[in-house]
Coordinates of all heavy atoms in Angstrom, one line a residue:
M1 N 156.3 -150.0 4.9 CA 155.4 -148.9 5.5 C 156.1 -148.0 6.4 O 156.9 -148.4 7.2 CB 154.2 -149.6 6.2 CG 153.2 -148.6 6.7 SD 151.7 -149.1 6.1 CE 150.5 -148.3 7.2
R2 N 156.0 -146.7 6.1 CA 156.7 -145.7 6.9 C 155.8 -145.3 8.1 O 154.6 -145.2 8.0 CB 157.0 -144.5 6.1 CG 158.0 -144.9 5.0 CD 158.3 -143.8 4.0 NE 157.8 -142.5 4.3 CZ 158.2 -141.4 3.8 NH1 159.2 -141.5 2.9 NH2 157.7 -140.2 4.0
S3 N 156.4 -145.1 9.2 CA 155.7 -144.7 10.4 C 156.5 -143.5 11.0 O 157.7 -143.4 10.7 CB 155.6 -145.8 11.5 OG 156.9 -146.1 12.0
P4 N 155.9 -142.8 11.9 CA 156.7 -141.7 12.5 C 158.0 -142.2 13.2 O 159.1 -141.6 13.1 CB 155.8 -141.1 13.5 CG 154.4 -141.3 13.0 CD 154.5 -142.7 12.2
R5 N 157.9 -143.4 13.8 CA 159.0 -144.0 14.5 C 160.1 -144.4 13.5 O 161.3 -144.1 13.7 CB 158.6 -145.2 15.3 CG 159.8 -145.8 16.1 CD 159.4 -147.1 16.8 NE 158.6 -146.6 18.0 CZ 157.9 -147.4 18.7 NH1 157.8 -148.7 18.5 NH2 157.2 -147.0 19.8
S6 N 159.7 -144.9 12.4 CA 160.7 -145.4 11.4 C 161.4 -144.2 10.8 O 162.6 -144.2 10.4 CB 160.1 -146.3 10.4 OG 159.2 -145.6 9.5
L7 N 160.6 -143.1 10.6 CA 161.2 -141.9 10.0 C 162.3 -141.3 10.8 O 163.3 -140.7 10.3 CB 160.1 -140.8 9.7 CG 159.1 -141.2 8.7 CD1 157.9 -140.2 8.6 CD2 159.8 -141.3 7.3
V8 N 162.2 -141.3 12.1 CA 163.2 -140.7 13.0 C 164.2 -141.8 13.6 O 165.1 -141.4 14.3 CB 162.6 -140.0 14.2 CG1 161.7 -138.8 13.6 CG2 161.8 -140.9 15.1
G9 N 164.0 -143.0 13.2 CA 165.0 -144.1 13.6 C 164.7 -144.4 15.1 O 165.7 -144.8 15.8
G10 N 163.6 -144.2 15.7 CA 163.3 -144.4 17.1 C 163.2 -145.8 17.4 O 163.0 -146.7 16.6
S11 N 163.4 -146.1 18.7 CA 163.2 -147.5 19.2 C 162.2 -147.5 20.4 O 162.2 -146.4 21.1 CB 164.5 -148.2 19.5 OG 165.2 -147.4 20.5
P12 N 161.6 -148.5 20.7 CA 160.7 -148.5 21.9 C 161.4 -148.2 23.2 O 162.6 -148.6 23.3 CB 160.1 -149.9 21.9 CG 160.4 -150.5 20.6 CD 161.6 -149.8 20.1
A13 N 160.8 -147.4 24.0 CA 161.4 -147.1 25.3 C 161.4 -148.3 26.2 O 160.6 -149.2 26.0 CB 160.6 -145.9 25.9
G14 N 162.2 -148.3 27.2 CA 162.2 -149.3 28.2 C 160.9 -149.4 29.0 O 160.3 -148.4 29.2
Q15 N 160.5 -150.6 29.3 CA 159.3 -150.8 30.0 C 159.5 -151.3 31.4 O 160.5 -151.9 31.7 CB 158.5 -152.0 29.3 CG 158.2 -151.7 27.9 CD 156.8 -151.2 27.7 OE1 155.9 -151.4 28.5 NE2 156.6 -150.3 26.7
F16 N 158.7 -150.8 32.4 CA 158.8 -151.2 33.8 C 157.4 -151.1 34.4 O 156.4 -150.8 33.7 CB 159.8 -150.4 34.5 CG 159.6 -149.0 34.4 CD1 158.9 -148.3 35.4 CD2 160.2 -148.2 33.4 CE1 158.7 -146.9 35.4 CE2 160.0 -146.9 33.4 CZ 159.2 -146.2 34.3
T17 N 157.3 -151.5 35.7 CA 156.0 -151.3 36.3 C 156.1 -150.4 37.5 O 157.1 -150.3 38.1 CB 155.4 -152.7 36.7 OG1 156.3 -153.2 37.7 CG2 155.2 -153.6 35.6
V18 N 154.9 -149.8 37.8 CA 154.8 -149.0 39.0 C 153.5 -149.5 39.7 O 152.6 -150.1 39.0 CB 154.8 -147.5 38.8 CG1 156.0 -147.0 38.2 CG2 153.5 -147.1 38.0
A19 N 153.4 -149.3 41.0 CA 152.2 -149.8 41.7 C 151.3 -148.5 42.0 O 151.9 -147.5 42.4 CB 152.6 -150.4 43.0
F20 N 150.0 -148.6 41.7 CA 149.1 -147.5 42.1 C 148.0 -148.1 42.8 O 147.2 -148.9 42.3 CB 148.6 -146.9 40.8 CG 147.5 -145.8 41.1 CD1 147.8 -144.7 41.8 CD2 146.1 -146.1 40.8 CE1 146.9 -143.8 42.0 CE2 145.2 -145.2 41.1 CZ 145.5 -144.0 41.8
D21 N 147.9 -147.7 44.1 CA 146.8 -148.2 45.0 C 146.7 -149.7 44.9 O 145.6 -150.3 44.9 CB 145.5 -147.5 44.7 CG 145.5 -146.1 45.1 OD1 146.4 -145.7 45.9 OD2 144.5 -145.4 44.8
G22 N 147.8 -150.4 44.9 CA 147.9 -151.9 44.8 C 147.8 -152.5 43.5 O 147.9 -153.7 43.4
R23 N 147.6 -151.7 42.4 CA 147.5 -152.2 41.1 C 148.9 -152.1 40.4 O 149.6 -151.1 40.7 CB 146.5 -151.5 40.2 CG 145.1 -151.7 40.6 CD 144.2 -150.8 39.8 NE 144.4 -150.9 38.4 CZ 143.8 -150.0 37.5 NH1 143.0 -149.1 38.0 NH2 144.0 -150.1 36.2
E24 N 149.3 -153.0 39.7 CA 150.5 -152.9 38.9 C 150.2 -152.3 37.6 O 149.3 -152.8 36.8 CB 151.2 -154.3 38.6 CG 151.8 -154.9 39.9 CD 153.0 -154.2 40.4 OE1 153.9 -153.8 39.5 OE2 153.1 -153.9 41.6
L25 N 150.9 -151.2 37.2 CA 150.6 -150.5 35.9 C 151.9 -150.5 35.1 O 153.1 -150.4 35.7 CB 150.2 -149.0 36.2 CG 149.0 -148.8 37.1 CD1 148.8 -147.3 37.3 CD2 147.8 -149.4 36.6
S26 N 151.8 -150.7 33.8 CA 153.0 -150.7 32.9 C 153.3 -149.2 32.6 O 152.4 -148.4 32.5 CB 152.8 -151.5 31.7 OG 151.7 -150.9 30.9
A27 N 154.6 -149.0 32.6 CA 155.1 -147.6 32.3 C 156.3 -147.7 31.3 O 156.8 -148.8 31.1 CB 155.5 -147.0 33.6
Q28 N 156.6 -146.6 30.6 CA 157.7 -146.5 29.8 C 158.7 -145.4 30.2 O 158.2 -144.5 30.8 CB 157.2 -146.2 28.3 CG 156.4 -147.2 27.7 CD 156.1 -146.9 26.3 OE1 156.2 -145.8 25.8 NE2 155.7 -147.9 25.5
E29 N 159.9 -145.7 30.0 CA 160.9 -144.6 30.2 C 160.5 -143.3 29.7 O 160.0 -143.1 28.6 CB 162.2 -145.0 29.6 CG 163.2 -145.8 30.4 CD 164.4 -146.1 29.6 OE1 164.9 -145.3 28.8 OE2 164.9 -147.2 29.8
G30 N 160.6 -142.3 30.5 CA 160.3 -140.9 30.1 C 158.9 -140.5 30.4 O 158.6 -139.3 30.2
Q31 N 158.0 -141.4 30.8 CA 156.6 -141.0 31.1 C 156.6 -140.3 32.5 O 157.3 -140.8 33.4 CB 155.7 -142.2 31.2 CG 155.2 -142.7 29.8 CD 154.2 -143.8 29.9 OE1 154.4 -144.7 30.6 NE2 153.1 -143.6 29.2
S32 N 155.7 -139.4 32.6 CA 155.4 -138.8 33.9 C 154.5 -139.8 34.7 O 153.9 -140.6 34.1 CB 154.8 -137.5 33.8 OG 153.5 -137.6 33.2
V33 N 154.4 -139.6 36.0 CA 153.4 -140.4 36.7 C 152.0 -140.2 36.2 O 151.3 -141.2 36.1 CB 153.5 -140.0 38.3 CG1 152.4 -140.7 39.0 CG2 154.8 -140.5 38.8
A34 N 151.7 -138.9 35.9 CA 150.4 -138.7 35.3 C 150.1 -139.5 34.0 O 149.1 -140.0 33.8 CB 150.2 -137.2 35.0
A35 N 151.1 -139.5 33.1 CA 151.0 -140.2 31.9 C 150.8 -141.7 32.1 O 150.0 -142.4 31.4 CB 152.2 -140.0 31.0
V36 N 151.5 -142.3 33.1 CA 151.3 -143.7 33.4 C 149.8 -143.9 33.9 O 149.2 -144.9 33.5 CB 152.3 -144.2 34.5 CG1 152.0 -145.5 35.0 CG2 153.7 -144.0 34.0
L37 N 149.3 -143.0 34.8 CA 148.0 -143.2 35.2 C 147.0 -143.0 34.1 O 146.1 -143.8 34.0 CB 147.7 -142.2 36.4 CG 148.6 -142.4 37.6 CD1 148.3 -141.3 38.6 CD2 148.3 -143.8 38.3
W38 N 147.2 -142.0 33.3 CA 146.2 -141.8 32.1 C 146.3 -143.1 31.2 O 145.2 -143.5 30.7 CB 146.7 -140.6 31.4 CG 146.0 -139.3 31.8 CD1 145.1 -139.2 32.8 CD2 146.1 -138.1 31.1 NE1 144.7 -137.9 32.9 CE2 145.3 -137.2 31.8 CE3 146.8 -137.6 30.0 CZ2 145.2 -135.9 31.5 CZ3 146.7 -136.3 29.7 CH2 145.9 -135.4 30.4
S39 N 147.4 -143.6 31.0 CA 147.5 -144.7 30.1 C 146.8 -145.9 30.6 O 146.3 -146.7 29.8 CB 149.0 -145.2 29.9 OG 149.8 -144.2 29.3
A40 N 146.6 -146.0 31.9 CA 145.8 -147.1 32.5 C 144.3 -146.7 32.7 O 143.6 -147.4 33.3 CB 146.4 -147.4 33.9
G41 N 143.9 -145.5 32.1 CA 142.6 -145.1 32.2 C 142.2 -144.4 33.6 O 141.0 -144.3 33.9
I42 N 143.2 -144.1 34.3 CA 142.9 -143.5 35.7 C 143.0 -142.0 35.5 O 144.0 -141.5 35.1 CB 143.9 -144.0 36.7 CG1 143.8 -145.5 36.8 CG2 143.7 -143.3 38.0 CD1 145.0 -146.1 37.5
L43 N 141.9 -141.3 35.8 CA 141.8 -139.9 35.5 C 141.8 -139.0 36.8 O 142.0 -137.8 36.7 CB 140.6 -139.5 34.7 CG 140.5 -140.2 33.4 CD1 139.2 -139.9 32.7 CD2 141.7 -140.0 32.4
A44 N 141.6 -139.6 37.9 CA 141.6 -138.8 39.2 C 142.4 -139.7 40.2 O 142.2 -140.8 40.3 CB 140.1 -138.6 39.7
W45 N 143.2 -138.9 41.0 CA 144.0 -139.6 42.0 C 144.2 -138.8 43.2 O 145.2 -138.9 44.0 CB 145.4 -140.0 41.5 CG 146.1 -138.9 40.7 CD1 146.8 -138.0 41.2 CD2 146.1 -138.8 39.3 NE1 147.3 -137.2 40.3 CE2 146.9 -137.6 39.0 CE3 145.5 -139.5 38.2 CZ2 147.0 -137.1 37.7 CZ3 145.7 -139.0 36.9 CH2 146.5 -137.8 36.7
R46 N 143.4 -137.8 43.4 CA 143.5 -136.9 44.6 C 142.1 -136.5 44.9 O 141.2 -136.4 44.0 CB 144.4 -135.7 44.3 CG 144.3 -134.7 45.4 CD 145.3 -133.5 45.1 NE 144.7 -132.5 44.3 CZ 144.0 -131.5 44.7 NH1 143.9 -131.4 46.0 NH2 143.6 -130.6 43.9
T47 N 141.8 -136.2 46.2 CA 140.5 -135.5 46.6 C 140.8 -134.2 47.2 O 141.9 -134.0 47.9 CB 139.7 -136.4 47.5 OG1 140.5 -136.7 48.7 CG2 139.3 -137.7 46.9
T48 N 139.9 -133.3 47.0 CA 140.2 -131.9 47.6 C 139.9 -131.9 49.1 O 139.2 -132.8 49.7 CB 139.3 -130.9 47.0 OG1 137.9 -131.3 47.2 CG2 139.5 -130.8 45.5
R49 N 140.6 -131.0 49.8 CA 140.5 -130.9 51.3 C 139.1 -130.6 51.8 O 138.7 -131.2 52.8 CB 141.4 -129.8 51.8 CG 142.9 -130.1 51.8 CD 143.7 -129.0 52.1 NE 143.7 -128.0 51.1 CZ 144.1 -126.8 51.2 NH1 144.7 -126.3 52.3 NH2 144.1 -126.0 50.2
V50 N 138.4 -129.8 51.2 CA 137.1 -129.3 51.8 C 135.9 -130.2 51.3 O 135.2 -130.7 52.2 CB 136.9 -127.8 51.4 CG1 135.5 -127.4 51.9 CG2 137.9 -126.9 51.9
T51 N 135.8 -130.4 50.1 CA 134.6 -131.2 49.6 C 134.9 -132.6 49.2 O 134.0 -133.4 49.0 CB 134.0 -130.5 48.4 OG1 134.9 -130.5 47.3 CG2 133.6 -129.0 48.7
G52 N 136.2 -133.0 49.1 CA 136.5 -134.4 48.7 C 136.2 -134.6 47.3 O 136.1 -135.8 46.8
A53 N 136.2 -133.6 46.5 CA 136.0 -133.7 45.0 C 137.2 -134.4 44.4 O 138.4 -134.1 44.7 CB 135.7 -132.4 44.4
P54 N 137.0 -135.2 43.4 CA 138.2 -135.9 42.7 C 138.9 -134.9 41.8 O 138.3 -134.0 41.2 CB 137.5 -137.0 41.8 CG 136.1 -136.5 41.6 CD 135.7 -135.6 42.8
R55 N 140.2 -135.1 41.7 CA 141.1 -134.3 40.9 C 142.1 -135.1 40.2 O 142.6 -136.2 40.7 CB 141.8 -133.2 41.8 CG 140.9 -132.1 42.3 CD 140.4 -131.2 41.2 NE 139.6 -130.1 41.7 CZ 138.4 -130.1 41.9 NH1 137.7 -131.2 41.6 NH2 137.8 -129.0 42.3
G56 N 142.6 -134.6 39.1 CA 143.7 -135.3 38.3 C 144.4 -134.2 37.6 O 144.7 -133.1 38.2
V57 N 144.8 -134.4 36.3 CA 145.5 -133.4 35.6 C 144.6 -132.3 35.2 O 143.5 -132.6 34.7 CB 146.3 -134.0 34.4 CG1 146.7 -132.9 33.4 CG2 147.4 -134.9 34.9
F58 N 145.0 -131.0 35.3 CA 144.3 -129.9 34.8 C 145.1 -129.2 33.7 O 144.9 -129.2 32.6 CB 143.8 -129.0 35.8 CG 142.9 -127.8 35.3 CD1 141.7 -128.1 34.8 CD2 143.4 -126.5 35.3 CE1 141.0 -127.0 34.3 CE2 142.7 -125.5 34.8 CZ 141.5 -125.7 34.3
C59 N 146.2 -128.6 34.2 CA 147.1 -127.8 33.3 C 148.1 -128.7 32.6 O 148.5 -128.5 31.5 CB 147.8 -126.7 34.0 SG 149.1 -127.2 35.1
G60 N 148.6 -129.7 33.3 CA 149.6 -130.6 32.7 C 151.0 -130.0 32.5 O 151.9 -130.6 32.0
I61 N 151.3 -128.8 33.2 CA 152.6 -128.1 33.0 C 153.1 -127.7 34.4 O 154.0 -126.9 34.4 CB 152.6 -127.0 32.0 CG1 151.5 -126.0 32.4 CG2 152.3 -127.5 30.6 CD1 151.5 -124.7 31.6
G62 N 152.6 -128.2 35.5 CA 153.1 -127.9 36.8 C 152.6 -126.6 37.4 O 153.3 -126.2 38.4
T63 N 151.6 -126.0 36.8 CA 151.2 -124.7 37.4 C 150.0 -124.8 38.3 O 150.0 -124.0 39.3 CB 150.8 -123.8 36.2 OG1 151.9 -123.6 35.3 CG2 150.4 -122.4 36.7
C64 N 149.0 -125.6 38.2 CA 147.8 -125.6 38.9 C 147.8 -126.4 40.2 O 147.0 -126.2 41.0 CB 146.6 -126.0 38.0 SG 146.6 -127.8 37.7
Y65 N 148.7 -127.4 40.3 CA 148.8 -128.2 41.5 C 147.5 -129.1 41.7 O 147.3 -129.6 42.7 CB 149.1 -127.5 42.8 CG 150.4 -126.9 42.8 CD1 150.9 -125.8 42.0 CD2 151.4 -127.5 43.6 CE1 152.1 -125.3 42.1 CE2 152.7 -127.0 43.6 CZ 153.1 -125.9 42.9 OH 154.3 -125.4 42.9
D66 N 146.7 -129.3 40.7 CA 145.6 -130.2 40.8 C 145.9 -131.6 40.8 O 145.2 -132.5 41.3 CB 144.6 -129.9 39.6 CG 143.4 -129.1 40.0 OD1 143.3 -128.7 41.1 OD2 142.4 -129.1 39.2
C67 N 147.1 -132.0 40.3 CA 147.5 -133.4 40.1 C 148.2 -133.9 41.3 O 148.9 -135.0 41.1 CB 148.3 -133.5 38.8 SG 149.8 -132.6 38.9
L68 N 148.2 -133.3 42.4 CA 149.0 -133.8 43.5 C 148.8 -135.2 43.8 O 147.6 -135.7 43.8 CB 148.8 -132.9 44.8 CG 149.2 -131.5 44.6 CD1 148.9 -130.7 45.9 CD2 150.7 -131.4 44.3
V69 N 149.8 -136.0 44.2 CA 149.7 -137.4 44.4 C 150.8 -137.8 45.4 O 151.8 -137.1 45.6 CB 149.8 -138.2 43.1 CG1 151.2 -138.1 42.5 CG2 149.4 -139.7 43.3
T70 N 150.7 -138.9 46.1 CA 151.7 -139.5 46.9 C 152.5 -140.5 46.2 O 152.0 -141.4 45.7 CB 151.1 -140.1 48.2 OG1 150.3 -139.1 48.8 CG2 152.1 -140.6 49.2
V71 N 153.9 -140.2 46.2 CA 154.8 -141.1 45.5 C 155.8 -141.6 46.5 O 156.5 -140.8 47.1 CB 155.4 -140.4 44.2 CG1 156.4 -141.4 43.6 CG2 154.4 -139.9 43.3
N72 N 155.9 -142.9 46.7 CA 156.9 -143.5 47.6 C 156.8 -142.8 49.0 O 157.8 -142.6 49.6 CB 158.3 -143.4 47.1 CG 158.5 -144.1 45.7 OD1 157.8 -145.2 45.5 ND2 159.2 -143.6 44.8
G73 N 155.5 -142.6 49.4 CA 155.3 -142.1 50.7 C 155.4 -140.6 50.8 O 155.2 -140.0 51.9
R74 N 155.8 -139.9 49.8 CA 155.9 -138.4 49.9 C 154.7 -137.8 49.2 O 154.5 -137.9 48.0 CB 157.2 -138.0 49.1 CG 158.5 -138.4 49.7 CD 159.7 -137.9 49.0 NE 159.7 -136.4 49.0 CZ 160.2 -135.6 48.1 NH1 160.8 -136.1 47.1 NH2 160.1 -134.3 48.3
P75 N 153.9 -137.1 50.1 CA 152.7 -136.5 49.5 C 153.0 -135.2 48.7 O 154.1 -134.7 48.7 CB 151.9 -136.2 50.8 CG 152.9 -136.0 51.9 CD 154.0 -136.9 51.5
N76 N 152.0 -134.7 48.0 CA 152.1 -133.4 47.3 C 153.1 -133.4 46.2 O 153.8 -132.4 46.0 CB 152.3 -132.3 48.3 CG 151.1 -132.2 49.3 OD1 150.0 -132.3 48.9 ND2 151.5 -132.1 50.6
Q77 N 153.2 -134.5 45.5 CA 154.1 -134.5 44.3 C 153.2 -134.3 43.1 O 152.2 -134.8 42.9 CB 154.7 -135.9 44.1 CG 155.6 -136.3 45.3 CD 156.7 -135.4 45.6 OE1 157.5 -135.2 44.8 NE2 156.7 -134.8 46.9
R78 N 153.7 -133.4 42.2 CA 152.9 -133.1 41.0 C 153.2 -134.2 40.0 O 154.2 -134.3 39.4 CB 153.4 -131.7 40.4 CG 152.8 -130.6 41.3 CD 153.4 -129.3 40.8 NE 154.7 -129.1 41.2 CZ 155.5 -128.1 40.9 NH1 155.1 -127.1 40.1 NH2 156.8 -128.1 41.3
A79 N 152.1 -134.9 39.8 CA 152.1 -136.0 38.9 C 152.5 -135.8 37.4 O 153.0 -136.6 36.7 CB 150.8 -136.8 38.9
C80 N 152.1 -134.5 37.0 CA 152.4 -134.1 35.6 C 153.9 -133.8 35.4 O 154.3 -133.8 34.3 CB 151.5 -132.9 35.2 SG 151.9 -131.4 36.1
L81 N 154.6 -133.6 36.5 CA 156.0 -133.3 36.4 C 157.0 -134.4 36.8 O 158.1 -134.5 36.3 CB 156.4 -132.0 37.2 CG 155.7 -130.7 36.7 CD1 156.2 -129.6 37.7 CD2 156.0 -130.4 35.3
I82 N 156.6 -135.2 37.7 CA 157.6 -136.1 38.3 C 157.6 -137.4 37.4 O 156.6 -137.9 37.0 CB 157.1 -136.5 39.8 CG1 158.3 -137.3 40.5 CG2 155.8 -137.3 39.8 CD1 158.0 -137.4 42.0
P83 N 158.8 -137.7 37.0 CA 159.0 -138.9 36.1 C 158.7 -140.2 36.9 O 159.1 -140.4 38.1 CB 160.4 -138.9 35.7 CG 161.1 -138.0 36.7 CD 160.1 -137.1 37.3
A84 N 158.0 -141.1 36.2 CA 157.8 -142.5 36.8 C 159.1 -143.2 36.8 O 159.9 -143.1 35.9 CB 156.7 -143.2 36.0
R85 N 159.4 -144.0 37.9 CA 160.6 -144.7 37.9 C 160.3 -146.2 38.3 O 159.3 -146.4 39.0 CB 161.6 -144.2 39.0 CG 161.9 -142.7 38.8 CD 163.1 -142.3 39.6 NE 163.3 -140.8 39.6 CZ 163.7 -140.2 38.6 NH1 164.1 -140.8 37.5 NH2 163.9 -138.9 38.6
P86 N 161.1 -147.1 37.9 CA 160.8 -148.5 38.2 C 160.7 -148.8 39.7 O 161.4 -148.2 40.5 CB 162.0 -149.3 37.6 CG 162.6 -148.3 36.6 CD 162.4 -146.9 37.0
G87 N 159.5 -149.4 40.0 CA 159.3 -149.8 41.4 C 158.5 -148.7 42.2 O 158.3 -148.9 43.4
D88 N 158.3 -147.6 41.6 CA 157.5 -146.5 42.3 C 156.2 -147.1 42.9 O 155.5 -147.9 42.3 CB 157.2 -145.3 41.4 CG 158.3 -144.3 41.3 OD1 159.3 -144.5 42.1 OD2 158.2 -143.5 40.4
T89 N 155.9 -146.6 44.1 CA 154.6 -146.9 44.7 C 153.8 -145.6 44.8 O 154.2 -144.6 45.5 CB 154.7 -147.5 46.1 OG1 155.5 -148.7 46.0 CG2 153.4 -147.7 46.7
V90 N 152.8 -145.4 44.0 CA 151.9 -144.3 43.9 C 150.6 -144.6 44.6 O 150.0 -145.6 44.4 CB 151.7 -143.9 42.4 CG1 150.9 -142.6 42.3 CG2 153.0 -143.8 41.7
T91 N 150.2 -143.6 45.4 CA 148.9 -143.8 46.1 C 148.0 -142.5 46.0 O 148.5 -141.4 45.9 CB 149.1 -144.1 47.6 OG1 149.9 -143.1 48.2 CG2 149.7 -145.5 47.8
T92 N 146.7 -142.8 45.9 CA 145.8 -141.7 46.0 C 146.0 -140.8 47.1 O 146.3 -141.3 48.3 CB 144.3 -142.3 46.0 OG1 144.1 -143.0 44.8 CG2 143.3 -141.1 46.1
Q93 N 145.9 -139.5 46.9 CA 146.1 -138.5 48.0 C 144.8 -138.0 48.4 O 144.1 -137.4 47.6 CB 147.1 -137.4 47.6 CG 147.3 -136.4 48.6 CD 148.4 -135.5 48.4 OE1 149.5 -135.9 48.0 NE2 148.2 -134.2 48.5
E94 N 144.5 -138.1 49.7 CA 143.2 -137.4 50.2 C 143.6 -136.2 51.0 O 144.5 -136.2 51.8 CB 142.4 -138.5 51.1 CG 142.0 -139.7 50.2 CD 141.2 -140.6 51.0 OE1 140.7 -140.2 52.1 OE2 141.0 -141.7 50.5
G95 N 142.8 -135.1 50.7 CA 143.0 -133.9 51.4 C 144.4 -133.3 51.2 O 144.9 -133.3 50.0
D96 N 145.1 -132.9 52.3 CA 146.4 -132.3 52.2 C 147.5 -133.3 52.1 O 148.7 -133.0 52.1 CB 146.6 -131.3 53.2 CG 146.6 -131.8 54.6 OD1 146.6 -133.0 54.8 OD2 146.5 -131.0 55.5
G97 N 147.2 -134.6 52.2 CA 148.2 -135.6 52.1 C 148.9 -135.9 53.4 O 149.9 -136.6 53.5
H98 N 148.5 -135.2 54.5 CA 149.2 -135.4 55.8 C 148.3 -136.0 56.9 O 148.4 -135.6 58.0 CB 149.7 -134.0 56.3 CG 150.8 -133.5 55.4 ND1 152.1 -134.1 55.3 CD2 150.8 -132.5 54.5 CE1 152.8 -133.4 54.4 NE2 152.1 -132.5 53.9
A99 N 147.3 -136.8 56.5 CA 146.5 -137.4 57.4 C 147.2 -138.2 58.5 O 146.7 -138.4 59.6 CB 145.4 -138.4 56.7
D100 N 148.4 -138.8 58.1 CA 149.1 -139.5 59.1 C 149.8 -138.6 60.2 O 150.2 -139.2 61.2 CB 150.4 -140.2 58.3 CG 151.2 -139.3 57.6 OD1 150.7 -138.3 57.0 OD2 152.5 -139.5 57.5
L101 N 149.7 -137.3 60.0 CA 150.2 -136.4 61.1 C 149.2 -135.9 62.0 O 149.6 -135.2 63.0 CB 150.9 -135.3 60.4 CG 152.1 -135.6 59.4 CD1 152.6 -134.3 58.8 CD2 153.2 -136.3 60.2
T102 N 147.9 -136.2 61.8 CA 146.9 -135.7 62.7 C 146.9 -136.4 64.0 O 147.3 -137.5 64.1 CB 145.5 -135.8 62.0 OG1 145.3 -137.2 61.7 CG2 145.3 -135.0 60.8
V103 N 146.5 -135.7 65.0 CA 146.5 -136.2 66.4 C 145.2 -136.2 66.9 O 144.2 -135.6 66.6 CB 147.5 -135.4 67.4 CG1 148.9 -135.8 67.0 CG2 147.2 -134.0 67.3
Ligands
LIG1 S1 148.2 -130.7 36.2 FE1 148.5 -128.7 36.9 S2 150.3 -129.0 38.2 FE2 150.0 -130.9 37.4

């Protein structure tokens, strides 16, 4: 039986895990953080500054900034662009992502 993978001679990508809000999610080499979250059925990982509305991917090409997320303690990373790496810790971002700086 022919499949798209067999036609191009592809092989499965490397597998690893990333943590999202304390959950272990499986990921494959080459996936963006957004793709990993989507694969796990997670569609929102940020809340807006003013109303707290949930946000996830909108454009998927790095233009709209709706997909901002905190990766390894760094807020405001575009999940649709940043590649997932083994051992990444991804957390939901609330507001502007700098709540730890408020006094
Ligand atoms: S979804 Fe628009 S910048 Fe990531």
